[in-house]
Amino acid sequence: MRNKSTKRYSYTGHDSRESKFIHKNFNKTASYNTNFSGATFENTAFIGAKFKFCSFYESKFLNCYIRGALFRGANLQSCVFKDCIVSASVFDRCKFKGVRFEGCKIVSSSKIEEFLPVSCFEDTEILSAYPGIGEFDPKLIDMVEALR
């Protein structure tokens, strides 16, 4: 998924309440003071995206890939992250009341498990770092090398 413009989904002070972002690419975008409350993000990529002081109140993130993203001062209250991969992302001074992670993989993401109670994570795997090469099946490593 590639945007024609790298800033295509960058918003400042925009009202995007109840919007549906399906199969979108927020990679390397920057949004400030934008209201995404009640929005649905489905099959959407957030690689290197920045969201500063945005509201995602009651938003849904379904099957999203969130890598190296910054959520600073964001309102994530009552959000649902379902079947998402959250990797090396920062959640700085966010509001988390009522947030839920269901069936997600969270890797090296600013110790998010320290901010939230265990009840917020349902069938979610949290890793503090990426697994080392020794933790993978050698046959899988050979297959990946052959595909390269």
Side-chain angles (χ1 to χ4, degrees):
M1 295 188 289
R2 281 199 160 200
N3 290 338
K4 290 180 182 175
S5 165
T6 58
K7 300 295 182 188
R8 184 173 182 185
Y9 294 107
S10 292
Y11 300 108
T12 299
H14 196 275
D15 188 355
S16 293
R17 283 181 285 188
E18 306 294 328
S19 295
K20 296 193 183 321
F21 299 96
I22 301 172
H23 302 292
K24 300 298 182 200
N25 179 345
F26 277 81
N27 296 350
K28 298 183 180 177
T29 59
S31 295
Y32 304 94
N33 298 309
T34 295
N35 190 351
F36 292 103
S37 295
T40 300
F41 300 91
E42 187 173 351
N43 298 318
T44 297
F46 298 92
I47 300 171
K50 294 178 186 170
F51 296 99
K52 294 183 180 178
F53 310 104
C54 294
S55 179
F56 293 93
Y57 180 76
E58 292 187 344
S59 291
K60 294 180 183 88
F61 294 83
L62 310 171
N63 197 37
C64 292
Y65 184 46
I66 305 167
R67 185 181 83 202
L70 171 66
F71 292 85
R72 177 166 288 143
N75 181 357
L76 297 169
Q77 291 182 97
S78 301
C79 280
V80 175
F81 292 82
K82 185 173 174 128
D83 300 324
C84 294
I85 296 173
V86 181
S87 168
S89 294
V90 175
F91 296 87
D92 179 34
R93 298 178 299 212
C94 293
K95 295 178 183 174
F96 285 116
K97 185 178 180 182
V99 71
R100 290 189 338 264
F101 289 86
E102 301 171 2
C104 295
K105 304 282 186 204
I106 301 173
V107 182
S108 186
S109 291
S110 73
K111 301 179 183 178
I112 195 166
E113 72 277 7
E114 292 178 13
F115 299 129
L116 299 169
V118 174
S119 60
C120 293
F121 303 100
E122 182 181 318
D123 297 324
T124 293
E125 186 176 0
I126 301 172
L127 301 170
S128 59
Y130 290 98
I133 195 150
E135 296 181 44
F136 292 97
D137 184 332
K139 290 179 184 177
L140 178 61
I141 292 170
D142 291 340
M143 276 204 275
V144 169
E145 290 300 323
L147 289 171
R148 285 185 180 172

